[in-house]
DNA sequence: TTGACAAGTGCTCATCTGTTCACTATATTT
DNA sequence: AAATATAGTGAACAGATGAGCACTTGTCAA
Protein backbone atom coordinates (compact mmCIF):
# COMPACT_ATOMS: atom_id res chain seq x y z
CA UNK A 1 0.00 0.00 0.00
CA UNK A 2 1.23 3.42 -0.86
CA UNK A 3 1.76 5.94 1.86
CA UNK A 4 -0.97 8.44 2.27
CA UNK A 5 -0.76 11.87 0.79
CA UNK A 6 -1.57 15.15 2.44
CA UNK A 7 -4.39 17.14 0.86
CA UNK A 8 -1.88 19.44 -0.71
CA UNK A 9 0.16 16.64 -2.16
CA UNK A 10 -2.93 14.95 -3.51
CA UNK A 11 -4.06 18.18 -5.14
CA UNK A 12 -0.68 18.65 -6.76
CA UNK A 13 -0.60 15.09 -8.02
CA UNK A 14 -4.04 15.54 -9.51
CA UNK A 15 -2.97 18.78 -11.14
CA UNK A 16 0.05 17.11 -12.69
CA UNK A 17 -2.10 14.33 -14.07
CA UNK A 18 -4.56 16.80 -15.50
CA UNK A 19 -1.86 18.96 -16.97
CA UNK A 20 -0.28 15.91 -18.54
CA UNK A 21 -3.57 14.87 -19.99
CA UNK A 22 -4.29 18.27 -21.47
CA UNK A 23 -0.83 19.16 -22.72
CA UNK A 24 0.89 15.90 -23.38
CA UNK A 25 3.86 16.82 -21.22
CA UNK A 26 4.30 17.55 -17.52
CA UNK A 27 4.30 21.03 -15.99
CA UNK A 28 7.31 22.92 -14.68
CA UNK A 29 7.77 23.76 -11.04
CA UNK A 30 6.74 27.32 -11.72
CA UNK A 31 3.60 26.29 -13.56
CA UNK A 32 2.56 24.13 -10.64
CA UNK A 33 3.37 26.95 -8.25
CA UNK A 34 1.41 29.45 -10.24
CA UNK A 35 -1.65 27.23 -10.26
CA UNK A 36 -1.58 26.83 -6.50
CA UNK A 37 -0.39 30.31 -5.65
CA UNK A 38 2.99 29.11 -4.48
CA UNK A 39 5.52 31.79 -5.23
CA UNK A 40 8.69 29.85 -4.68
CA UNK A 41 9.79 26.93 -6.80
CA UNK A 42 11.36 25.48 -3.72
CA UNK A 43 8.01 24.98 -2.08
CA UNK A 44 6.78 23.11 -5.11
CA UNK A 45 9.92 21.06 -5.32
CA UNK A 46 9.48 19.79 -1.80
CA UNK A 47 5.97 18.64 -2.63
CA UNK A 48 7.35 16.72 -5.55
CA UNK A 49 10.06 15.21 -3.40
CA UNK A 50 7.39 14.08 -0.99
CA UNK A 51 5.41 12.58 -3.86
CA UNK A 52 8.52 10.82 -5.10
CA UNK A 53 9.42 9.49 -1.67
CA UNK A 54 5.92 8.11 -1.33
CA UNK A 55 6.18 6.48 -4.69
CA UNK A 56 3.66 8.43 -6.74
CA UNK A 57 6.03 10.04 -9.21
CA UNK A 58 9.59 9.82 -10.32
CA UNK A 59 11.67 12.89 -10.92
CA UNK A 60 14.50 13.20 -13.38
CA UNK A 61 17.08 15.46 -11.81
CA UNK A 62 18.04 18.58 -13.68
CA UNK A 63 15.62 17.81 -16.44
CA UNK A 64 12.94 20.31 -17.21
CA UNK A 65 9.44 18.94 -16.78
CA UNK A 66 11.10 15.76 -15.63
CA UNK A 67 8.09 14.48 -13.74
CA UNK A 68 6.76 11.04 -14.51
CA UNK A 69 3.61 9.85 -12.84
CA UNK A 70 4.09 6.34 -11.57
CA UNK A 71 1.57 3.68 -12.41
CA UNK A 72 2.80 0.92 -10.21
CA UNK A 73 1.94 -2.74 -10.37
CA UNK A 74 -0.52 -2.49 -7.58
CA UNK A 75 -2.44 0.00 -9.59
CA UNK A 76 -2.14 -2.10 -12.68
CA UNK A 77 -3.22 -5.24 -10.97
CA UNK A 78 -6.51 -3.52 -10.48
CA UNK A 79 -6.71 -3.26 -14.23
CA UNK A 80 -8.73 -6.16 -15.45
CA UNK A 81 -6.98 -8.51 -17.82
CA UNK A 82 -9.68 -7.82 -20.29
CA UNK A 83 -8.69 -4.20 -20.56
CA UNK A 84 -5.01 -4.95 -20.80
CA UNK A 85 -5.70 -7.22 -23.70
CA UNK A 86 -8.11 -4.75 -25.16
CA UNK A 87 -10.86 -7.28 -24.98
CA UNK A 88 -13.13 -4.82 -23.32
CA UNK A 89 -16.34 -3.79 -24.93
CA UNK A 90 -16.97 -0.26 -25.83
CA UNK A 91 -20.61 0.35 -26.42
CA UNK A 92 -21.90 3.36 -28.28
CA UNK A 93 -24.68 5.12 -26.46
CA UNK A 94 -27.43 6.22 -28.75
CA UNK A 95 -29.37 9.23 -27.64
CA UNK A 96 -32.50 10.43 -29.27
CA UNK A 97 -33.28 8.64 -32.48
CA UNK A 98 -34.73 10.85 -35.12
CA UNK A 99 -37.67 9.31 -36.94
CA UNK A 100 -36.63 7.39 -39.98
CA UNK A 101 -32.93 7.83 -39.51
CA UNK A 102 -30.60 4.89 -39.14
CA UNK A 103 -30.19 4.19 -35.46
CA UNK A 104 -26.44 4.01 -35.42
CA UNK A 105 -25.81 7.12 -37.48
CA UNK A 106 -23.02 9.21 -36.08
CA UNK A 107 -25.24 12.12 -35.14
CA UNK A 108 -27.09 9.96 -32.71
CA UNK A 109 -24.12 8.82 -30.69
CA UNK A 110 -24.31 10.41 -27.31
CA UNK A 111 -21.30 8.85 -25.66
CA UNK A 112 -19.96 5.50 -24.81
CA UNK A 113 -20.14 2.94 -22.13
CA UNK A 114 -17.64 0.30 -21.18
CA UNK A 115 -19.05 -2.97 -20.02
CA UNK A 116 -17.17 -5.82 -18.53
CA UNK A 117 -16.81 -8.70 -20.97
CA UNK A 118 -18.13 -11.04 -18.33
CA UNK A 119 -21.52 -9.65 -19.20
CA UNK A 120 -21.29 -9.68 -22.93
CA UNK A 121 -19.92 -12.31 -25.22
CA UNK A 122 -16.92 -10.84 -26.84
CA UNK A 123 -17.94 -10.61 -30.42
CA UNK A 124 -21.43 -9.51 -29.63
CA UNK A 125 -22.26 -6.29 -31.28
CA UNK A 126 -24.35 -4.28 -28.90
CA UNK A 127 -25.27 -0.68 -28.34
CA UNK A 128 -27.03 1.29 -25.66
CA UNK A 129 -30.21 3.26 -26.11
CA UNK A 130 -31.62 5.89 -23.85
CA UNK A 131 -35.19 5.11 -22.91
CA UNK A 132 -37.95 7.62 -23.48
CA UNK A 133 -41.32 7.17 -21.91
CA UNK A 134 -42.47 5.08 -19.03
CA UNK A 135 -44.22 2.21 -20.74
CA UNK A 136 -41.95 -0.37 -19.13
CA UNK A 137 -41.79 0.78 -15.52
CA UNK A 138 -43.21 -2.45 -14.21
CA UNK A 139 -40.28 -4.24 -15.78
CA UNK A 140 -37.96 -1.87 -13.96
CA UNK A 141 -37.12 0.17 -17.02
CA UNK A 142 -37.57 3.85 -16.39
CA UNK A 143 -37.34 6.96 -18.49
CA UNK A 144 -33.73 7.96 -18.90
CA UNK A 145 -32.37 4.47 -18.34
CA UNK A 146 -29.97 2.99 -20.81
CA UNK A 147 -30.94 -0.32 -22.33
CA UNK A 148 -28.24 -2.49 -23.82
CA UNK A 149 -29.50 -3.79 -27.13
CA UNK A 150 -28.19 -6.72 -29.12
CA UNK A 151 -29.27 -6.29 -32.74
CA UNK A 152 -28.16 -9.81 -33.61
CA UNK A 153 -30.72 -11.29 -31.29
CA UNK A 154 -34.24 -10.59 -32.46
CA UNK A 155 -35.77 -11.96 -29.31
CA UNK A 156 -37.99 -14.84 -28.39
CA UNK A 157 -41.45 -14.90 -27.01
CA UNK A 158 -41.51 -13.02 -23.74
CA UNK A 159 -38.23 -11.21 -24.21
CA UNK A 160 -37.96 -7.50 -23.85
CA UNK A 161 -37.04 -6.05 -27.19
CA UNK A 162 -36.52 -2.76 -28.94
CA UNK A 163 -38.79 -2.36 -31.94
CA UNK A 164 -39.06 0.14 -34.70
CA UNK A 165 -42.70 0.90 -35.33
CA UNK A 166 -43.85 3.60 -37.71
CA UNK A 167 -40.45 5.25 -37.53
CA UNK A 168 -40.60 5.27 -33.78
CA UNK A 169 -38.36 3.32 -31.45
CA UNK A 170 -39.99 1.61 -28.51
CA UNK A 171 -39.06 -0.81 -25.79
CA UNK A 172 -41.67 -3.50 -25.22
CA UNK A 173 -42.11 -7.12 -24.32
CA UNK A 174 -42.47 -9.34 -27.37
CA UNK A 175 -45.32 -11.75 -27.78
CA UNK A 176 -45.65 -13.93 -30.83
CA UNK A 177 -48.80 -15.97 -31.25
CA UNK A 178 -48.67 -17.81 -34.50
CA UNK A 179 -48.26 -15.16 -37.12
CA UNK A 180 -49.45 -12.38 -34.89
CA UNK A 181 -46.99 -10.11 -33.17
CA UNK A 182 -47.91 -8.15 -30.06
CA UNK A 183 -45.89 -5.58 -28.17
CA UNK A 184 -46.77 -5.62 -24.49
CA UNK A 185 -45.98 -2.60 -22.36
CA UNK A 186 -45.15 -3.22 -18.72
CA UNK A 187 -47.33 -0.45 -17.38
CA UNK A 188 -50.99 -0.90 -16.60
CA UNK A 189 -51.75 2.51 -18.04
CA UNK A 190 -50.73 1.41 -21.51
CA UNK A 191 -52.39 -0.99 -23.91
CA UNK A 192 -50.70 -3.78 -25.83
CA UNK A 193 -50.00 -3.02 -29.45
CA UNK A 194 -50.84 -5.52 -32.13
CA UNK A 195 -48.66 -5.18 -35.15
CA UNK A 196 -50.80 -4.94 -38.22
CA UNK A 197 -48.63 -3.36 -40.85
CA UNK A 198 -45.49 -5.44 -40.91
CA UNK A 199 -43.95 -3.16 -43.49
CA UNK A 200 -43.63 -0.46 -40.91
CA UNK A 201 -42.35 -2.78 -38.23
CA UNK A 202 -39.01 -4.28 -37.40
CA UNK A 203 -37.26 -5.61 -34.36
CA UNK A 204 -34.12 -3.68 -33.60
CA UNK A 205 -32.82 -6.15 -31.09
CA UNK A 206 -33.18 -7.81 -27.78
CA UNK A 207 -32.62 -5.92 -24.55
CA UNK A 208 -29.69 -7.54 -22.80
CA UNK A 209 -29.31 -5.20 -19.91
CA UNK A 210 -30.40 -2.05 -18.19
CA UNK A 211 -28.19 0.64 -16.74
CA UNK A 212 -29.56 3.48 -14.67
CA UNK A 213 -27.66 6.35 -13.21
CA UNK A 214 -29.02 8.36 -10.29
CA UNK A 215 -28.29 12.08 -10.21
CA UNK B 1 -6.29 12.24 -43.93
CA UNK B 2 -2.89 13.16 -42.69
CA UNK B 3 -0.05 13.94 -45.01
CA UNK B 4 2.60 11.33 -45.42
CA UNK B 5 5.81 11.46 -43.51
CA UNK B 6 9.33 11.03 -44.79
CA UNK B 7 11.29 8.13 -43.36
CA UNK B 8 13.25 10.48 -41.18
CA UNK B 9 10.16 12.18 -39.86
CA UNK B 10 8.50 8.87 -39.15
CA UNK B 11 11.56 7.68 -37.28
CA UNK B 12 11.63 10.80 -35.18
CA UNK B 13 7.94 10.58 -34.40
CA UNK B 14 8.40 6.99 -33.33
CA UNK B 15 11.32 7.94 -31.15
CA UNK B 16 9.30 10.64 -29.46
CA UNK B 17 6.48 8.23 -28.76
CA UNK B 18 8.86 5.67 -27.34
CA UNK B 19 10.66 8.23 -25.23
CA UNK B 20 7.35 9.46 -23.93
CA UNK B 21 6.27 5.98 -23.06
CA UNK B 22 9.47 5.18 -21.23
CA UNK B 23 10.01 8.44 -19.44
CA UNK B 24 6.61 9.96 -18.99
CA UNK B 25 7.65 13.21 -20.62
CA UNK B 26 8.83 14.18 -24.10
CA UNK B 27 12.48 14.55 -25.12
CA UNK B 28 14.35 17.79 -25.74
CA UNK B 29 15.64 18.78 -29.13
CA UNK B 30 19.15 17.80 -28.13
CA UNK B 31 18.05 14.41 -26.87
CA UNK B 32 16.37 13.71 -30.18
CA UNK B 33 19.40 14.96 -32.04
CA UNK B 34 21.76 12.83 -30.01
CA UNK B 35 19.73 9.72 -30.71
CA UNK B 36 19.83 10.29 -34.43
CA UNK B 37 23.31 11.71 -34.66
CA UNK B 38 22.08 15.16 -35.54
CA UNK B 39 24.50 17.67 -34.10
CA UNK B 40 22.45 20.81 -34.49
CA UNK B 41 19.23 21.45 -32.64
CA UNK B 42 18.09 23.40 -35.64
CA UNK B 43 17.98 20.29 -37.76
CA UNK B 44 15.81 18.60 -35.19
CA UNK B 45 13.61 21.61 -34.85
CA UNK B 46 12.82 21.61 -38.53
CA UNK B 47 11.76 17.99 -38.34
CA UNK B 48 9.42 18.87 -35.55
CA UNK B 49 8.04 21.77 -37.51
CA UNK B 50 7.37 19.41 -40.38
CA UNK B 51 5.63 17.00 -38.03
CA UNK B 52 3.56 19.82 -36.65
CA UNK B 53 2.62 21.13 -40.08
CA UNK B 54 1.48 17.67 -41.05
CA UNK B 55 -0.58 17.37 -37.93
CA UNK B 56 1.24 14.69 -36.00
CA UNK B 57 2.39 16.74 -33.06
CA UNK B 58 1.80 20.11 -31.51
CA UNK B 59 4.64 22.21 -30.22
CA UNK B 60 4.48 24.68 -27.38
CA UNK B 61 6.73 27.56 -28.27
CA UNK B 62 9.56 28.35 -25.91
CA UNK B 63 8.58 25.57 -23.60
CA UNK B 64 11.08 22.90 -22.81
CA UNK B 65 10.00 19.45 -23.92
CA UNK B 66 6.89 21.11 -25.28
CA UNK B 67 6.06 18.34 -27.71
CA UNK B 68 2.64 16.77 -27.60
CA UNK B 69 1.90 13.83 -29.82
CA UNK B 70 -1.44 14.22 -31.52
CA UNK B 71 -3.75 11.25 -31.44
CA UNK B 72 -6.33 11.99 -34.01
CA UNK B 73 -9.90 10.86 -33.66
CA UNK B 74 -9.83 8.41 -36.49
CA UNK B 75 -7.04 6.48 -34.91
CA UNK B 76 -8.51 6.65 -31.47
CA UNK B 77 -12.08 5.90 -32.13
CA UNK B 78 -11.49 2.21 -31.70
CA UNK B 79 -9.99 2.72 -28.28
CA UNK B 80 -12.00 4.66 -25.73
CA UNK B 81 -10.24 7.60 -24.16
CA UNK B 82 -10.94 6.13 -20.80
CA UNK B 83 -8.96 3.02 -21.48
CA UNK B 84 -6.06 4.75 -23.12
CA UNK B 85 -5.58 7.02 -20.20
CA UNK B 86 -6.28 4.25 -17.78
CA UNK B 87 -8.88 6.44 -16.21
CA UNK B 88 -11.57 3.85 -16.41
CA UNK B 89 -13.13 2.61 -13.27
CA UNK B 90 -13.02 -0.95 -12.25
CA UNK B 91 -15.66 -1.68 -9.70
CA UNK B 92 -15.55 -4.69 -7.45
CA UNK B 93 -18.80 -6.58 -7.43
CA UNK B 94 -19.78 -7.75 -4.00
CA UNK B 95 -21.88 -10.84 -3.88
CA UNK B 96 -23.53 -12.18 -0.82
CA UNK B 97 -22.47 -10.38 2.33
CA UNK B 98 -22.10 -12.63 5.30
CA UNK B 99 -23.60 -11.25 8.48
CA UNK B 100 -21.12 -9.25 10.45
CA UNK B 101 -18.30 -9.51 7.97
CA UNK B 102 -16.71 -6.48 6.43
CA UNK B 103 -18.43 -5.78 3.17
CA UNK B 104 -15.34 -5.43 1.07
CA UNK B 105 -13.53 -8.48 2.35
CA UNK B 106 -11.91 -10.46 -0.39
CA UNK B 107 -14.13 -13.48 -0.02
CA UNK B 108 -17.12 -11.44 -0.94
CA UNK B 109 -15.82 -10.20 -4.25
CA UNK B 110 -17.78 -11.85 -6.98
CA UNK B 111 -16.29 -10.22 -10.00
CA UNK B 112 -15.77 -6.83 -11.43
CA UNK B 113 -17.49 -4.31 -13.55
CA UNK B 114 -16.07 -1.62 -15.72
CA UNK B 115 -17.99 1.58 -15.85
CA UNK B 116 -17.32 4.49 -18.11
CA UNK B 117 -15.78 7.41 -16.24
CA UNK B 118 -18.40 9.68 -17.68
CA UNK B 119 -20.69 8.18 -15.08
CA UNK B 120 -18.41 8.27 -12.11
CA UNK B 121 -16.13 10.99 -10.92
CA UNK B 122 -12.64 9.75 -11.20
CA UNK B 123 -11.55 9.53 -7.62
CA UNK B 124 -14.85 8.23 -6.44
CA UNK B 125 -14.48 4.98 -4.64
CA UNK B 126 -17.46 2.84 -5.47
CA UNK B 127 -18.42 -0.78 -5.48
CA UNK B 128 -21.30 -2.83 -6.76
CA UNK B 129 -23.62 -4.93 -4.67
CA UNK B 130 -25.96 -7.63 -5.82
CA UNK B 131 -29.48 -7.00 -4.62
CA UNK B 132 -31.34 -9.63 -2.65
CA UNK B 133 -35.03 -9.31 -2.09
CA UNK B 134 -37.66 -7.33 -3.87
CA UNK B 135 -38.30 -4.50 -1.44
CA UNK B 136 -37.38 -1.85 -4.00
CA UNK B 137 -39.19 -3.03 -7.09
CA UNK B 138 -41.23 0.14 -7.35
CA UNK B 139 -37.99 2.05 -7.65
CA UNK B 140 -36.95 -0.24 -10.49
CA UNK B 141 -34.49 -2.22 -8.41
CA UNK B 142 -35.06 -5.94 -8.74
CA UNK B 143 -33.58 -8.99 -7.16
CA UNK B 144 -30.31 -9.86 -8.81
CA UNK B 145 -29.65 -6.30 -10.00
CA UNK B 146 -26.34 -4.70 -9.23
CA UNK B 147 -26.45 -1.41 -7.38
CA UNK B 148 -23.45 0.88 -7.60
CA UNK B 149 -22.71 2.17 -4.12
CA UNK B 150 -20.63 5.18 -3.16
CA UNK B 151 -19.50 4.73 0.45
CA UNK B 152 -18.24 8.30 0.58
CA UNK B 153 -21.72 9.63 0.09
CA UNK B 154 -23.96 8.82 3.01
CA UNK B 155 -27.02 10.11 1.23
CA UNK B 156 -29.52 12.86 1.77
CA UNK B 157 -33.17 12.76 2.54
CA UNK B 158 -34.97 10.84 -0.19
CA UNK B 159 -31.90 9.20 -1.63
CA UNK B 160 -31.73 5.47 -2.14
CA UNK B 161 -29.05 4.11 0.11
CA UNK B 162 -27.53 0.86 1.26
CA UNK B 163 -27.76 0.42 5.00
CA UNK B 164 -26.36 -2.06 7.45
CA UNK B 165 -29.01 -2.98 9.96
CA UNK B 166 -28.54 -5.72 12.52
CA UNK B 167 -25.75 -7.22 10.47
CA UNK B 168 -27.94 -7.29 7.42
CA UNK B 169 -27.44 -5.26 4.29
CA UNK B 170 -30.49 -3.65 2.76
CA UNK B 171 -31.30 -1.23 0.01
CA UNK B 172 -33.90 1.35 1.00
CA UNK B 173 -34.91 4.93 0.56
CA UNK B 174 -33.61 7.17 3.31
CA UNK B 175 -35.86 9.49 5.27
CA UNK B 176 -34.52 11.65 8.01
CA UNK B 177 -37.00 13.56 10.14
CA UNK B 178 -35.16 15.45 12.79
CA UNK B 179 -33.26 12.84 14.70
CA UNK B 180 -35.38 9.99 13.46
CA UNK B 181 -34.21 7.79 10.64
CA UNK B 182 -36.60 5.79 8.53
CA UNK B 183 -35.88 3.28 5.82
CA UNK B 184 -38.63 3.26 3.23
CA UNK B 185 -39.03 0.25 0.98
CA UNK B 186 -40.40 0.87 -2.50
CA UNK B 187 -42.83 -1.99 -2.47
CA UNK B 188 -46.32 -1.71 -1.08
CA UNK B 189 -46.02 -5.14 0.47
CA UNK B 190 -43.30 -3.96 2.84
CA UNK B 191 -43.46 -1.61 5.78
CA UNK B 192 -41.10 1.27 6.49
CA UNK B 193 -38.49 0.57 9.12
CA UNK B 194 -37.80 3.07 11.84
CA UNK B 195 -34.29 2.84 13.15
CA UNK B 196 -34.38 2.51 16.89
CA UNK B 197 -31.06 1.03 17.85
CA UNK B 198 -28.52 3.26 16.21
CA UNK B 199 -25.73 1.09 17.46
CA UNK B 200 -26.75 -1.63 15.10
CA UNK B 201 -27.26 0.73 12.20
CA UNK B 202 -25.00 2.36 9.70
CA UNK B 203 -25.26 3.74 6.22
CA UNK B 204 -22.98 1.94 3.83
CA UNK B 205 -23.38 4.43 1.06
CA UNK B 206 -25.58 6.04 -1.50
CA UNK B 207 -26.82 4.15 -4.52
CA UNK B 208 -25.42 5.86 -7.59
CA UNK B 209 -26.60 3.50 -10.25
CA UNK B 210 -28.33 0.29 -11.11
CA UNK B 211 -27.21 -2.33 -13.58
CA UNK B 212 -29.35 -5.26 -14.59
CA UNK B 213 -28.45 -8.09 -16.89
CA UNK B 214 -31.07 -10.20 -18.60
CA UNK B 215 -30.14 -13.84 -19.18
C1' DT C 1 7.21 23.69 26.18
C1' DT C 2 9.64 21.44 22.89
C1' DG C 3 10.14 19.12 18.70
C1' DA C 4 8.76 17.31 14.35
C1' DC C 5 6.51 18.14 10.15
C1' DA C 6 3.99 20.38 6.36
C1' DA C 7 3.99 24.54 3.86
C1' DG C 8 5.78 28.68 2.11
C1' DT C 9 9.01 33.09 0.84
C1' DG C 10 12.68 35.43 -1.66
C1' DC C 11 16.58 35.01 -3.60
C1' DT C 12 20.80 33.43 -6.35
C1' DC C 13 22.89 30.42 -9.54
C1' DA C 14 24.05 27.19 -13.07
C1' DT C 15 22.53 24.98 -16.79
C1' DC C 16 19.02 23.34 -19.67
C1' DT C 17 16.61 24.25 -23.77
C1' DG C 18 14.32 26.39 -27.68
C1' DT C 19 15.24 30.08 -31.21
C1' DT C 20 17.63 32.08 -34.86
C1' DC C 21 21.02 32.92 -38.56
C1' DA C 22 24.26 31.94 -42.37
C1' DC C 23 25.82 28.33 -45.07
C1' DT C 24 26.13 23.52 -47.42
C1' DA C 25 24.39 19.44 -49.86
C1' DT C 26 21.25 16.13 -52.18
C1' DA C 27 17.21 14.68 -54.25
C1' DT C 28 12.73 15.59 -56.77
C1' DT C 29 9.77 18.42 -59.37
C1' DT C 30 8.72 22.04 -62.80
C1' DA D 1 18.19 24.81 -65.62
C1' DA D 2 15.67 26.62 -61.81
C1' DA D 3 12.78 26.01 -58.00
C1' DT D 4 11.44 23.43 -54.04
C1' DA D 5 11.64 20.30 -50.21
C1' DT D 6 14.51 17.57 -47.22
C1' DA D 7 18.53 17.22 -44.31
C1' DG D 8 22.31 18.91 -41.82
C1' DT D 9 26.37 22.08 -39.40
C1' DG D 10 28.06 25.31 -35.96
C1' DA D 11 27.66 29.01 -33.25
C1' DA D 12 25.48 32.66 -30.44
C1' DC D 13 21.72 34.01 -27.52
C1' DA D 14 17.89 34.67 -24.29
C1' DG D 15 14.64 32.89 -21.62
C1' DA D 16 13.05 28.77 -19.20
C1' DT D 17 13.87 25.84 -15.52
C1' DG D 18 15.52 23.06 -11.52
C1' DA D 19 18.64 23.31 -7.38
C1' DG D 20 19.81 25.19 -3.16
C1' DC D 21 19.91 28.14 1.06
C1' DA D 22 18.30 30.77 5.10
C1' DC D 23 14.35 32.01 7.30
C1' DT D 24 9.17 32.10 8.68
C1' DT D 25 4.56 30.26 9.99
C1' DG D 26 1.13 27.09 11.69
C1' DT D 27 -0.34 22.57 13.45
C1' DC D 28 -0.10 18.62 16.21
C1' DA D 29 1.58 15.24 19.31
C1' DA D 30 4.74 14.03 23.27
Amino acid sequence: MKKELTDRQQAILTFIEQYLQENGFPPTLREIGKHFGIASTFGVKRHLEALEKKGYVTIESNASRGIAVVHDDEYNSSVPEAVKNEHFNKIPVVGRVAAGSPILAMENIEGSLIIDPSFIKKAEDVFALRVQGDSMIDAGIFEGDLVIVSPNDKGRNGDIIVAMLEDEVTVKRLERIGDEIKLIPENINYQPITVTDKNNFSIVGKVKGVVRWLN
Side-chain angles (χ1 to χ4, degrees), chain A residues 165 175 180-184 191-197 201:
Chain A
L165 187 65
E175 198 178 293
E180 194 182 71
I181 294 177
K182 274 192 180 176
L183 301 177
I184 319 286
Q191 296 302 317
I193 301 169
T194 303
V195 177
T196 51
D197 182 0
F201 171 79

Side-chain angles (χ1 to χ4, degrees), chain A residues 2-27:
Chain A
K2 278 178 177 174
K3 287 174 190 164
E4 277 189 18
L5 295 178
T6 65
D7 289 350
R8 202 62 165 161
Q9 287 164 0
Q10 178 60 60
I12 288 176
L13 179 59
T14 303
F15 172 70
I16 293 171
E17 286 173 337
Q18 269 180 13
Y19 186 105
L20 197 50
Q21 171 114 26
E22 282 168 24
N23 298 283
F25 45 87

Side-chain angles (χ1 to χ4, degrees), chain A residues 53-122:
Chain A
K53 200 160 64 183
K54 292 179 182 175
Y56 289 83
V57 302
T58 58
I59 296 169
E60 186 68 28
S61 295
N62 298 314
S64 63
R65 304 178 189 273
I67 308 169
V69 177
V70 171
H71 296 279
D72 67 335
D73 289 338
E74 226 172 311
Y75 182 80
N76 278 339
S77 70
S78 73
V79 177
E81 278 304 311
V83 172
K84 280 194 202 161
N85 302 331
E86 301 191 19
H87 284 219
F88 52 83
N89 294 283
K90 184 200 174 198
I91 302 180
V93 174
V94 178
R96 217 158 307 139
V97 179
S101 69
I103 284 200
L104 282 177
M106 279 299 280
E107 320 86 66
N108 299 327
I109 306 299
E110 189 181 277
S112 71
L113 189 66
I114 302 170
I115 291 288
D116 196 283
S118 59
F119 289 113
I120 306 173
K121 286 178 212 117
K122 195 182 152 217

Side-chain angles (χ1 to χ4, degrees), chain A residues 111-172:
Chain A
S112 71
L113 189 66
I114 302 170
I115 291 288
D116 196 283
S118 59
F119 289 113
I120 306 173
K121 286 178 212 117
K122 195 182 152 217
E124 212 168 6
D125 189 24
V126 298
F127 63 91
L129 189 67
R130 195 166 292 280
V131 173
Q132 293 165 42
D134 58 353
S135 66
M136 293 299 281
I137 55 170
D138 290 343
I141 301 176
F142 289 23
E143 172 136 31
D145 289 3
L146 292 174
V147 291
I148 315 293
V149 184
S150 169
N152 295 327
D153 185 342
K154 298 304 185 188
R156 299 177 181 196
N157 219 340
D159 284 351
I160 296 175
I161 51 116
V162 174
M164 180 81 84
L165 187 65
E166 310 274 344
D167 283 343
E168 247 184 78
V169 176
T170 43
V171 182
K172 294 283 182 298

